[in-house]
Amino acid sequence: MNNLETNIKILQPFLTRFKKEGIGNNINGQPAPSSSGETFANYSPVDNSFICSVAKGNSEDVNQATLAAKEAFPGWRDIDAKTRKNILHKIADLIISRAEEIALCESWDTGQAIRFMSKAALRGAENFRYYADMALQARDGKSLPSPTLLNVTTRVPIGPVGIITPWNTPFMLSTWKIAPALATGCTVVHKPAEFSPMTASLLMEIADEAGLPKGVWNLVNGFGEDAGVALTEHQDIKAIAFVGESKTGSAIMRQGADTLKRVHFELGGKNPVIVFDDADLDRALDAVIFMIYSLNGERCTSSSRLLVQSSIAEEFISKLTTRVKNIKVGNPLDPRTEIGPLIHKVHMEKVLSYFQVAKDEGVKIAAGGARIGNEGWYVEPTLFTEASGDMRISQEEIFGPVLTAIQFQDEEEAIRIANSVRYGLTGYIWTNNLARSMRVSNALEAGMIWVNSENVRHLPTPFGGIKDSGIGRDGGDWSFEFYMEQKHVGFALGNHRIPKLGIES
Ligand code: NAD
């Protein structure tokens, strides 16, 4: 992997281009400024330097984008599935050919370490490949014969859909949502997060270059309160796929109520990793550290609560503390960096506020607990110990490199603490007792559970949460279920009896 200096050198021409051209919307295959002419400034979290201006889309832009998506829909829906497949594979090819540029821009725009972003760019390509191949079977249905009818089902794409993405790993998440929507035959209006617009615009360029018909995929940049609201309220947008905070999910549900919007929500988490004393503790330690401190802790599936059995807590936490203090924080373009700056000053201040909450709640700050320097939005990797499950630091999503460690005596207590939060996205269990792993995974309130493993994404499996962590699932055919409508057709097999009305005098 390139060193820091080389990465800065490679990134420079892309930054020069972004600064010169800015980021616009893309509607009906045409780059466009916002209809109001307004822009907002995008800064790097690394040093708060200006990157570029970005079109500030509003309801008029959303309206135009939706109109384009509506007009393009019948053509894209009815095109041969093989053509859809080929275009999506072409998008994947182009992502791979520009993977370095995407990864560097993503790092600079979000503060995420390049060691993770280079993989995220490739994962984006995999998402397109996977759903490209699935496109051929998207319409497949069932045959459900009855004595009198041959009943068959098929699926049809729901129509133009709105996709709203957050600032954490924005490239990967955008591909994850957009690829299945396109594979089914839906058309898309994408509104990326205002804090991280760079790679969504690269992705749009790639889609154009891949030969996607005009209007099939439209991009409107802007803020949640105007472009986001307009998209969720638009009559012609049939569904909203949203990734972001739980409270934004609630707002979108309200905004979409009048138009009976179908929604798919991937929301917040406060995920437990439960370490029992019979586990492989070295592997558990690696996974605990990776799942909260990678991606700056700005990760919905992060294991932000460590539940550790009292019998091993002292030694486990001591080793954990040493490792956390050793994590390398630095420029995200440096391949040695493990944690980069947080996305934005506002978010950094939110994370820092929890250091005060921890002090007020009387827990021990075993590592970190402060901002680093005055330039860029860096915070120390932080570990709270001696916490209890009901504290704010154990209940609320901090969304930074901050781990809260809580001790438990036995299985029953571990399950009770694990389930005591409003969220239910993931759970991680470390034990070598097979029966216990089954009991605990059965009892945990979460959409996804890994036993003796960190989060390893396998695209055919369902991804999503329960409770306040979400509605619906991504992955495999579950994504298609969201973007498609079931249709049933019954063919009469003969002259079955039809009730006769109005014939008696
Ligand atoms: P956010 O909810 O603030 O913003 C997400 C997107 O929604 C942005 O594009 C924003 O502009 C838009 N938005 C904001 N208000 C809106 C409104 N009223 N109507 C329509 N759109 C609106 O979230 P964020 O801070 O960007 O992202 C972090 C959050 O995302 C965390 O809570 C994290 O757990 C969650 N997340 C969840 C998953 C998952 O799979 N469960 C994955 C990644 C991130």
Side-chain angles (χ1 to χ4, degrees), residues 10-92:
I10 299 171
L11 178 63
Q12 212 49 55
F14 303 125
L15 289 183
T16 305
R17 191 192 136 200
F18 271 106
K19 202 171 199 169
K20 188 164 160 240
E21 296 176 7
I23 292 177
N25 297 331
N26 191 307
I27 297 173
N28 206 22
Q30 296 298 322
S34 65
S35 57
S36 67
E38 282 187 80
T39 59
F40 62 95
N42 182 33
Y43 299 96
S44 172
V46 178
D47 55 5
N48 205 27
S49 59
F50 175 76
I51 301 177
C52 61
S53 63
V54 185
K56 188 164 177 275
N58 58 22
S59 56
E60 178 50 29
D61 300 296
V62 166
N63 204 25
Q64 286 174 15
T66 304
L67 186 64
K70 190 180 174 187
E71 282 178 359
F73 176 62
W76 184 244
R77 177 193 61 199
D78 296 339
I79 216 168
D80 181 2
K82 255 194 194 156
T83 309
R84 277 204 300 278
K85 172 183 167 171
N86 292 342
I87 293 177
L88 297 192
H89 271 300
K90 181 86 175 114
I91 293 175

Coordinates of all heavy atoms in Angstrom, one line a residue, residues 10-92:
I10 N -1.2 11.4 -5.1 CA -2.2 10.8 -6.0 C -3.6 11.6 -5.8 O -4.3 11.8 -6.8 CB -2.4 9.3 -5.7 CG1 -1.1 8.6 -5.9 CG2 -3.5 8.7 -6.6 CD1 -1.2 7.1 -5.5
L11 N -3.9 11.9 -4.6 CA -5.2 12.6 -4.3 C -5.3 14.0 -4.9 O -6.3 14.4 -5.4 CB -5.4 12.6 -2.8 CG -6.7 13.3 -2.3 CD1 -8.0 12.6 -2.8 CD2 -6.8 13.4 -0.8
Q12 N -4.1 14.7 -5.0 CA -4.1 16.1 -5.3 C -4.9 16.5 -6.6 O -5.7 17.4 -6.5 CB -2.6 16.6 -5.4 CG -2.5 18.0 -5.0 CD -3.2 18.3 -3.7 OE1 -2.9 17.7 -2.7 NE2 -4.1 19.3 -3.7
P13 N -4.6 15.8 -7.7 CA -5.4 16.2 -8.9 C -6.9 16.1 -8.8 O -7.6 16.8 -9.3 CB -4.8 15.3 -10.0 CG -3.8 14.4 -9.4 CD -3.6 14.8 -8.0
F14 N -7.3 15.0 -8.0 CA -8.7 14.9 -7.8 C -9.3 16.0 -7.0 O -10.4 16.6 -7.3 CB -9.0 13.5 -7.2 CG -8.5 12.3 -7.9 CD1 -7.7 11.4 -7.3 CD2 -8.8 12.1 -9.2 CE1 -7.2 10.3 -8.0 CE2 -8.4 11.1 -9.9 CZ -7.5 10.2 -9.3
L15 N -8.5 16.4 -6.0 CA -9.0 17.6 -5.2 C -9.0 18.9 -6.0 O -10.0 19.6 -5.9 CB -8.1 17.8 -4.0 CG -8.1 16.7 -2.9 CD1 -7.2 17.0 -1.7 CD2 -9.6 16.5 -2.4
T16 N -8.0 19.0 -6.8 CA -8.0 20.2 -7.7 C -9.2 20.3 -8.6 O -9.9 21.3 -8.7 CB -6.7 20.2 -8.6 OG1 -5.6 20.0 -7.7 CG2 -6.6 21.5 -9.4
R17 N -9.6 19.1 -9.1 CA -10.7 19.0 -10.0 C -12.0 19.3 -9.2 O -12.9 20.1 -9.6 CB -10.8 17.6 -10.6 CG -11.8 17.6 -11.7 CD -12.2 16.1 -12.1 NE -13.6 16.1 -12.3 CZ -14.3 14.9 -12.3 NH1 -13.7 13.8 -12.1 NH2 -15.6 14.9 -12.4
F18 N -12.2 18.7 -8.0 CA -13.4 19.0 -7.2 C -13.5 20.5 -6.9 O -14.5 21.1 -6.9 CB -13.3 18.1 -5.9 CG -14.0 16.8 -6.1 CD1 -13.2 15.6 -6.1 CD2 -15.4 16.7 -6.2 CE1 -13.8 14.4 -6.3 CE2 -16.0 15.4 -6.3 CZ -15.2 14.3 -6.4
K19 N -12.3 21.1 -6.5 CA -12.3 22.5 -6.1 C -12.8 23.4 -7.3 O -13.5 24.3 -7.1 CB -10.9 22.9 -5.6 CG -10.9 24.1 -4.8 CD -9.5 24.2 -4.2 CE -9.5 25.1 -3.0 NZ -8.2 25.0 -2.3
K20 N -12.3 23.0 -8.5 CA -12.6 23.8 -9.6 C -14.0 23.7 -10.1 O -14.7 24.6 -10.3 CB -11.6 23.4 -10.8 CG -11.7 24.2 -12.0 CD -10.5 24.0 -12.9 CE -10.8 24.5 -14.3 NZ -10.7 23.5 -15.3
E21 N -14.4 22.4 -10.1 CA -15.8 22.1 -10.7 C -16.9 22.1 -9.7 O -18.0 22.3 -10.1 CB -15.7 20.8 -11.4 CG -14.8 20.8 -12.6 CD -14.7 19.4 -13.3 OE1 -15.4 18.5 -12.9 OE2 -13.8 19.3 -14.2
G22 N -16.6 21.9 -8.4 CA -17.6 21.7 -7.4 C -18.4 20.4 -7.7 O -18.1 19.7 -8.6
I23 N -19.4 20.2 -6.8 CA -20.2 19.0 -7.0 C -21.6 19.4 -7.3 O -22.2 20.2 -6.6 CB -20.2 18.1 -5.7 CG1 -18.8 17.5 -5.5 CG2 -21.3 17.0 -5.8 CD1 -18.7 16.7 -4.2
G24 N -22.1 19.0 -8.4 CA -23.5 19.4 -8.8 C -24.5 18.2 -8.6 O -24.1 17.1 -8.1
N25 N -25.7 18.5 -9.0 CA -26.7 17.4 -9.0 C -26.5 16.7 -10.4 O -25.8 17.2 -11.3 CB -28.1 18.0 -8.9 CG -28.3 18.6 -7.5 OD1 -27.6 18.2 -6.6 ND2 -29.2 19.6 -7.5
N26 N -27.2 15.6 -10.6 CA -27.3 15.0 -11.9 C -28.7 14.5 -12.1 O -29.2 13.6 -11.4 CB -26.3 13.8 -11.9 CG -26.1 13.3 -13.4 OD1 -27.0 13.0 -14.0 ND2 -24.8 13.3 -13.8
I27 N -29.3 15.2 -13.0 CA -30.8 14.9 -13.3 C -31.0 14.6 -14.7 O -30.5 15.3 -15.6 CB -31.6 16.1 -12.8 CG1 -31.4 16.3 -11.3 CG2 -33.1 15.9 -13.2 CD1 -32.1 17.6 -10.8
N28 N -31.6 13.4 -15.0 CA -31.8 13.0 -16.3 C -30.5 12.9 -17.2 O -30.5 13.2 -18.3 CB -32.9 13.9 -17.0 CG -33.6 13.2 -18.1 OD1 -33.7 11.9 -18.1 ND2 -34.1 13.9 -19.1
G29 N -29.5 12.4 -16.5 CA -28.2 12.2 -17.2 C -27.4 13.4 -17.4 O -26.4 13.4 -18.1
Q30 N -27.9 14.5 -16.9 CA -27.2 15.8 -17.1 C -26.7 16.4 -15.8 O -27.5 16.5 -14.8 CB -28.2 16.9 -17.7 CG -28.7 16.5 -19.0 CD -27.6 16.5 -20.1 OE1 -26.6 17.2 -20.0 NE2 -27.7 15.5 -21.0
P31 N -25.4 16.7 -15.7 CA -24.9 17.5 -14.5 C -25.7 18.8 -14.4 O -25.9 19.4 -15.5 CB -23.4 17.7 -14.8 CG -23.1 16.7 -15.9 CD -24.3 16.5 -16.7
A32 N -26.0 19.2 -13.2 CA -26.8 20.4 -13.1 C -26.5 21.1 -11.8 O -26.4 20.4 -10.8 CB -28.3 20.1 -13.2
P33 N -26.5 22.4 -11.8 CA -26.4 23.1 -10.5 C -27.8 23.0 -9.8 O -28.8 22.6 -10.4 CB -26.1 24.6 -10.9 CG -26.7 24.7 -12.3 CD -26.6 23.3 -12.9
S34 N -27.9 23.5 -8.6 CA -29.2 23.5 -8.0 C -30.1 24.5 -8.6 O -29.6 25.5 -9.2 CB -29.1 23.7 -6.5 OG -28.6 25.1 -6.3
S35 N -31.4 24.3 -8.6 CA -32.3 25.2 -9.4 C -32.2 26.6 -8.8 O -32.4 27.6 -9.5 CB -33.7 24.7 -9.4 OG -34.1 24.5 -8.1
S36 N -31.9 26.7 -7.5 CA -31.8 28.0 -6.8 C -30.5 28.7 -7.1 O -30.3 29.8 -6.7 CB -32.1 27.9 -5.3 OG -30.9 27.1 -4.8
G37 N -29.5 27.9 -7.5 CA -28.2 28.4 -7.7 C -27.4 28.3 -6.4 O -26.2 28.6 -6.3
E38 N -28.0 27.9 -5.3 CA -27.3 27.9 -4.0 C -26.4 26.7 -3.9 O -26.7 25.6 -4.5 CB -28.4 27.8 -2.9 CG -29.1 29.1 -2.6 CD -29.9 28.9 -1.3 OE1 -29.4 29.0 -0.2 OE2 -31.2 28.7 -1.5
T39 N -25.3 26.9 -3.1 CA -24.4 25.9 -2.9 C -24.1 25.9 -1.4 O -24.4 26.8 -0.7 CB -23.0 26.0 -3.6 OG1 -22.5 27.3 -3.2 CG2 -23.2 26.0 -5.1
F40 N -23.4 24.8 -0.9 CA -22.9 24.8 0.5 C -21.4 24.3 0.4 O -21.1 23.6 -0.6 CB -23.7 24.0 1.4 CG -23.8 22.5 1.1 CD1 -23.0 21.6 1.7 CD2 -24.8 22.0 0.2 CE1 -23.1 20.2 1.4 CE2 -24.9 20.7 -0.1 CZ -24.1 19.8 0.5
A41 N -20.7 24.6 1.4 CA -19.2 24.3 1.3 C -19.0 22.9 2.0 O -19.6 22.6 3.0 CB -18.4 25.4 2.1
N42 N -18.1 22.2 1.4 CA -17.7 20.9 1.9 C -16.2 20.9 2.4 O -15.4 21.4 1.7 CB -17.8 19.8 0.8 CG -17.5 18.4 1.4 OD1 -17.7 18.1 2.5 ND2 -16.9 17.5 0.5
Y43 N -16.0 20.5 3.7 CA -14.7 20.6 4.3 C -14.2 19.3 4.6 O -14.9 18.4 4.9 CB -14.7 21.5 5.5 CG -15.2 22.9 5.3 CD1 -16.5 23.2 5.5 CD2 -14.3 23.9 4.9 CE1 -17.0 24.5 5.3 CE2 -14.7 25.2 4.7 CZ -16.1 25.5 4.9 OH -16.5 26.8 4.7
S44 N -12.8 19.1 4.6 CA -12.3 17.8 5.1 C -12.2 17.8 6.6 O -11.7 18.8 7.2 CB -10.9 17.6 4.5 OG -10.3 16.5 5.1
P45 N -12.5 16.7 7.2 CA -12.4 16.6 8.7 C -10.9 16.5 9.1 O -10.6 16.6 10.3 CB -13.1 15.3 9.0 CG -13.2 14.5 7.7 CD -13.1 15.5 6.6
V46 N -10.0 16.2 8.1 CA -8.6 16.1 8.5 C -8.0 17.4 9.0 O -7.3 17.4 10.0 CB -7.8 15.6 7.2 CG1 -6.3 15.4 7.6 CG2 -8.4 14.3 6.7
D47 N -8.3 18.5 8.3 CA -7.7 19.8 8.7 C -8.7 20.9 8.5 O -8.3 22.1 8.5 CB -6.5 20.0 7.9 CG -6.7 19.9 6.4 OD1 -7.9 19.8 6.0 OD2 -5.8 20.0 5.6
N48 N -10.0 20.6 8.3 CA -11.0 21.6 8.1 C -10.8 22.4 6.8 O -11.3 23.5 6.7 CB -11.2 22.4 9.3 CG -12.6 23.0 9.4 OD1 -13.6 22.4 8.8 ND2 -12.8 24.2 10.0
S49 N -10.0 21.9 5.9 CA -9.7 22.7 4.7 C -10.9 22.5 3.7 O -11.6 21.5 3.7 CB -8.4 22.2 4.0 OG -8.6 20.8 3.7
F50 N -11.1 23.6 2.9 CA -12.2 23.6 2.0 C -11.9 22.6 0.9 O -10.8 22.6 0.3 CB -12.3 25.0 1.4 CG -13.3 25.2 0.3 CD1 -14.7 25.2 0.6 CD2 -12.9 25.3 -1.0 CE1 -15.6 25.4 -0.4 CE2 -13.9 25.4 -2.0 CZ -15.2 25.5 -1.7
I51 N -12.9 21.7 0.6 CA -12.7 20.8 -0.5 C -13.4 21.3 -1.8 O -12.8 21.5 -2.8 CB -13.3 19.4 -0.2 CG1 -12.6 18.8 1.0 CG2 -13.1 18.4 -1.4 CD1 -13.2 17.4 1.5
C52 N -14.7 21.7 -1.7 CA -15.4 22.1 -2.8 C -16.8 22.6 -2.4 O -17.2 22.4 -1.3 CB -15.6 20.9 -3.8 SG -16.5 19.6 -3.1
S53 N -17.4 23.3 -3.4 CA -18.8 23.7 -3.1 C -19.7 22.6 -3.7 O -19.3 21.9 -4.6 CB -19.1 25.1 -3.8 OG -18.9 24.9 -5.2
V54 N -20.9 22.5 -3.1 CA -21.8 21.5 -3.4 C -23.2 22.1 -3.7 O -23.6 23.0 -3.0 CB -21.9 20.4 -2.3 CG1 -22.8 19.2 -2.7 CG2 -20.6 20.0 -1.8
A55 N -23.8 21.6 -4.7 CA -25.2 22.1 -5.1 C -26.1 21.8 -3.9 O -26.2 20.7 -3.4 CB -25.7 21.4 -6.3
K56 N -26.9 22.9 -3.5 CA -27.8 22.7 -2.4 C -29.2 22.5 -3.0 O -29.9 23.4 -3.3 CB -27.8 24.0 -1.5 CG -28.5 23.9 -0.2 CD -28.1 25.0 0.7 CE -28.9 25.0 2.0 NZ -30.2 25.7 1.9
G57 N -29.5 21.2 -3.2 CA -30.7 20.9 -3.8 C -31.9 21.2 -2.9 O -31.8 21.2 -1.7
N58 N -33.1 21.5 -3.6 CA -34.3 21.8 -2.8 C -35.4 21.0 -3.4 O -35.2 20.1 -4.3 CB -34.6 23.3 -2.8 CG -34.7 23.8 -4.2 OD1 -35.0 23.1 -5.2 ND2 -34.5 25.1 -4.4
S59 N -36.7 21.4 -3.1 CA -37.8 20.6 -3.5 C -38.0 20.6 -5.0 O -38.4 19.7 -5.7 CB -39.1 21.0 -2.8 OG -39.3 22.4 -3.1
E60 N -37.6 21.8 -5.7 CA -37.7 21.9 -7.1 C -36.7 20.8 -7.8 O -37.1 20.2 -8.8 CB -37.4 23.3 -7.5 CG -37.4 23.5 -9.0 CD -38.7 23.0 -9.7 OE1 -39.7 23.0 -9.1 OE2 -38.6 22.6 -10.9
D61 N -35.5 20.7 -7.2 CA -34.5 19.8 -7.8 C -35.1 18.3 -7.6 O -34.9 17.5 -8.5 CB -33.2 19.9 -7.1 CG -32.6 21.3 -7.3 OD1 -32.4 21.7 -8.5 OD2 -32.5 22.0 -6.3
V62 N -35.6 18.1 -6.4 CA -36.1 16.7 -6.2 C -37.3 16.5 -7.1 O -37.4 15.4 -7.7 CB -36.6 16.6 -4.7 CG1 -37.5 15.4 -4.5 CG2 -35.4 16.6 -3.8
N63 N -38.1 17.5 -7.4 CA -39.2 17.3 -8.3 C -38.7 17.0 -9.7 O -39.3 16.0 -10.3 CB -40.0 18.6 -8.3 CG -41.4 18.4 -8.7 OD1 -42.0 17.3 -8.6 ND2 -42.0 19.5 -9.3
Q64 N -37.7 17.7 -10.2 CA -37.2 17.4 -11.5 C -36.6 16.0 -11.6 O -36.8 15.3 -12.6 CB -36.2 18.5 -11.9 CG -36.7 19.8 -12.2 CD -35.7 20.9 -12.4 OE1 -34.5 20.5 -12.6 NE2 -36.0 22.1 -12.4
A65 N -35.8 15.7 -10.5 CA -35.2 14.3 -10.5 C -36.2 13.2 -10.5 O -36.1 12.2 -11.2 CB -34.3 14.2 -9.3
T66 N -37.3 13.5 -9.8 CA -38.4 12.5 -9.7 C -39.1 12.3 -11.0 O -39.4 11.2 -11.4 CB -39.4 12.8 -8.5 OG1 -38.6 13.0 -7.3 CG2 -40.4 11.8 -8.4
L67 N -39.3 13.4 -11.6 CA -40.0 13.4 -13.0 C -39.1 12.6 -13.9 O -39.6 11.7 -14.7 CB -40.1 14.8 -13.5 CG -40.9 15.0 -14.8 CD1 -42.3 14.5 -14.6 CD2 -40.9 16.4 -15.2
A68 N -37.8 12.8 -13.9 CA -36.9 12.1 -14.8 C -36.9 10.6 -14.4 O -37.0 9.7 -15.3 CB -35.4 12.6 -14.6
A69 N -36.9 10.3 -13.1 CA -37.0 8.9 -12.7 C -38.3 8.2 -13.1 O -38.4 7.1 -13.5 CB -36.8 8.8 -11.2
K70 N -39.4 9.0 -13.1 CA -40.7 8.5 -13.4 C -40.8 8.2 -14.9 O -41.3 7.2 -15.4 CB -41.8 9.5 -13.0 CG -43.2 9.1 -13.1 CD -44.2 10.1 -12.7 CE -45.6 9.7 -13.0 NZ -46.5 10.7 -12.7
E71 N -40.2 9.1 -15.7 CA -40.3 9.0 -17.2 C -39.4 7.8 -17.6 O -39.7 7.1 -18.6 CB -39.9 10.3 -17.9 CG -41.1 11.2 -17.8 CD -40.8 12.6 -18.5 OE1 -39.6 12.8 -18.9 OE2 -41.7 13.4 -18.5
A72 N -38.3 7.6 -16.9 CA -37.3 6.5 -17.3 C -37.8 5.2 -16.8 O -37.3 4.1 -17.3 CB -36.0 6.8 -16.7
F73 N -38.8 5.2 -15.9 CA -39.1 3.9 -15.2 C -39.7 2.8 -16.2 O -39.1 1.7 -16.2 CB -40.1 4.2 -14.1 CG -40.6 2.9 -13.5 CD1 -39.8 2.0 -12.8 CD2 -42.0 2.6 -13.5 CE1 -40.2 0.8 -12.3 CE2 -42.4 1.4 -12.9 CZ -41.6 0.5 -12.3
P74 N -40.7 3.1 -17.1 CA -41.2 2.0 -17.9 C -40.1 1.4 -18.8 O -40.1 0.2 -18.9 CB -42.3 2.7 -18.8 CG -42.6 4.0 -18.0 CD -41.4 4.4 -17.3
G75 N -39.2 2.2 -19.3 CA -38.2 1.7 -20.2 C -37.2 0.8 -19.5 O -36.9 -0.3 -19.9
W76 N -36.8 1.2 -18.3 CA -35.8 0.5 -17.5 C -36.5 -0.8 -16.9 O -35.9 -1.9 -16.9 CB -35.3 1.3 -16.3 CG -34.2 0.7 -15.5 CD1 -34.3 0.4 -14.2 CD2 -32.9 0.3 -15.9 NE1 -33.1 -0.2 -13.8 CE2 -32.3 -0.3 -14.8 CE3 -32.2 0.3 -17.2 CZ2 -31.0 -0.8 -14.9 CZ3 -30.9 -0.2 -17.2 CH2 -30.3 -0.7 -16.1
R77 N -37.7 -0.7 -16.6 CA -38.5 -1.8 -16.0 C -38.6 -2.9 -17.1 O -38.4 -4.1 -16.8 CB -39.9 -1.4 -15.6 CG -40.8 -2.5 -15.2 CD -42.3 -2.0 -15.1 NE -42.7 -1.6 -16.4 CZ -43.8 -0.8 -16.6 NH1 -44.5 -0.3 -15.6 NH2 -44.2 -0.5 -17.9
D78 N -38.8 -2.5 -18.4 CA -39.2 -3.4 -19.4 C -38.0 -3.9 -20.2 O -38.1 -4.8 -21.1 CB -40.2 -2.8 -20.4 CG -41.5 -2.6 -19.6 OD1 -41.7 -3.2 -18.5 OD2 -42.3 -1.8 -20.0
I79 N -36.8 -3.3 -20.0 CA -35.6 -3.7 -20.7 C -35.3 -5.1 -20.4 O -35.6 -5.6 -19.2 CB -34.5 -2.7 -20.4 CG1 -33.6 -2.4 -21.5 CG2 -33.6 -3.2 -19.2 CD1 -32.6 -1.2 -21.2
D80 N -34.7 -5.8 -21.3 CA -34.2 -7.2 -21.0 C -33.3 -7.3 -19.8 O -32.4 -6.5 -19.6 CB -33.4 -7.6 -22.3 CG -32.9 -9.0 -22.2 OD1 -33.2 -9.7 -21.2 OD2 -32.2 -9.4 -23.1
A81 N -33.6 -8.2 -18.9 CA -32.9 -8.3 -17.6 C -31.4 -8.5 -17.9 O -30.5 -8.1 -17.1 CB -33.4 -9.5 -16.8
K82 N -31.1 -9.1 -19.0 CA -29.6 -9.3 -19.3 C -28.9 -8.0 -19.6 O -27.8 -7.8 -19.2 CB -29.5 -10.1 -20.6 CG -29.1 -11.5 -20.4 CD -28.7 -12.1 -21.7 CE -28.7 -13.6 -21.6 NZ -28.8 -14.3 -22.9
T83 N -29.7 -7.0 -20.1 CA -29.1 -5.7 -20.4 C -28.8 -5.0 -19.0 O -27.8 -4.4 -18.8 CB -30.0 -4.8 -21.2 OG1 -30.4 -5.6 -22.4 CG2 -29.4 -3.5 -21.6
R84 N -29.8 -5.2 -18.1 CA -29.6 -4.6 -16.8 C -28.4 -5.2 -16.1 O -27.5 -4.6 -15.6 CB -30.8 -4.8 -15.9 CG -31.9 -3.8 -16.1 CD -32.8 -3.7 -14.9 NE -33.5 -5.0 -14.6 CZ -34.6 -5.4 -15.2 NH1 -35.2 -4.7 -16.1 NH2 -35.1 -6.6 -14.8
K85 N -28.3 -6.5 -16.3 CA -27.2 -7.3 -15.7 C -25.8 -6.7 -16.3 O -24.9 -6.5 -15.5 CB -27.3 -8.8 -16.0 CG -26.1 -9.6 -15.6 CD -26.3 -11.0 -16.0 CE -24.9 -11.7 -15.9 NZ -25.0 -13.2 -16.1
N86 N -25.8 -6.6 -17.6 CA -24.5 -6.2 -18.2 C -24.1 -4.7 -17.8 O -23.0 -4.5 -17.5 CB -24.6 -6.2 -19.7 CG -24.7 -7.7 -20.2 OD1 -24.4 -8.6 -19.4 ND2 -25.2 -7.9 -21.4
I87 N -25.1 -3.9 -17.7 CA -24.8 -2.5 -17.3 C -24.3 -2.5 -15.8 O -23.3 -1.8 -15.5 CB -26.0 -1.6 -17.5 CG1 -26.3 -1.4 -19.0 CG2 -25.8 -0.2 -16.9 CD1 -27.6 -0.6 -19.3
L88 N -24.9 -3.2 -15.0 CA -24.5 -3.3 -13.6 C -23.1 -3.8 -13.5 O -22.3 -3.4 -12.6 CB -25.5 -4.0 -12.7 CG -26.9 -3.4 -12.6 CD1 -27.7 -4.1 -11.5 CD2 -26.9 -2.0 -12.4
H89 N -22.8 -4.8 -14.3 CA -21.4 -5.4 -14.3 C -20.4 -4.3 -14.7 O -19.3 -4.2 -14.2 CB -21.3 -6.6 -15.1 CG -21.6 -7.9 -14.3 ND1 -20.9 -8.3 -13.2 CD2 -22.6 -8.8 -14.5 CE1 -21.3 -9.4 -12.8 NE2 -22.4 -9.8 -13.5
K90 N -20.8 -3.6 -15.7 CA -20.0 -2.5 -16.3 C -19.7 -1.5 -15.2 O -18.6 -1.0 -15.0 CB -20.7 -1.9 -17.5 CG -19.9 -0.8 -18.1 CD -18.9 -1.3 -19.2 CE -18.3 -0.3 -19.9 NZ -17.0 0.1 -19.9
I91 N -20.7 -1.1 -14.4 CA -20.5 -0.2 -13.2 C -19.5 -0.8 -12.3 O -18.6 -0.1 -11.8 CB -21.9 0.1 -12.5 CG1 -22.8 0.9 -13.4 CG2 -21.6 0.9 -11.2 CD1 -24.2 1.1 -12.9
A92 N -19.6 -2.1 -12.0 CA -18.6 -2.7 -11.1 C -17.2 -2.6 -11.7 O -16.3 -2.3 -11.0 CB -19.0 -4.2 -10.9

